[in-house]
Amino acid sequence: MQRRDKWIALIPSITAPEGEHVPCPHCGKAQLDYRYIIDPKTRLGYFLLWCNACLHGISVSRVKAPADVKARSMDDPRALADVPEYTRYT
């Protein structure tokens, strides 16, 4: 399995309502965080997943955010305010 695929496989666990603590596929620490950046009307946008410990992660475009997950509007100038700069696997 490629690195990016390992990250994508974590998305259901990370975004689950119970907020499961999952180890980072890069460093092994359970400090993963995510953000959906969406159009609030359609809930379509992109998804960011990163590790706050090692600052590695992914971005996924053309996603639909489930209704019960945290998301920020594309129109919000602070949508990325607390997302760190991180190395993205492509």
Side-chain angles (χ1 to χ4, degrees):
M1 183 181 284
Q2 293 186 11
R3 274 190 262 188
R4 181 173 171 79
D5 294 337
K6 289 179 183 179
W7 284 87
I8 289 174
L10 298 177
I11 293 173
S13 298
I14 297 300
T15 60
E18 57 275 359
E20 189 175 322
H21 294 285
V22 177
C24 170
H26 184 76
C27 73
K29 296 184 180 174
Q31 294 187 29
L32 297 179
D33 203 352
Y34 73 93
R35 172 79 42 78
Y36 282 95
I37 309 293
I38 61 167
D39 175 326
K41 292 176 184 162
T42 64
R43 298 204 53 89
L44 295 174
Y46 61 98
F47 178 80
L48 305 172
L49 173 60
W50 70 92
C51 175
N52 285 311
C54 68
L55 297 177
H56 284 82
I58 62 169
S59 61
V60 182
S61 61
R62 298 185 189 131
V63 298
K64 184 165 186 169
D68 60 344
V69 298
K70 61 183 177 180
R72 297 229 178 127
S73 171
M74 290 179 178
D75 297 331
D76 181 353
R78 296 190 30 85
L80 298 171
D82 53 349
V83 175
E85 290 292 322
Y86 63 94
T87 301
R88 295 179 191 197
Y89 293 112
T90 56

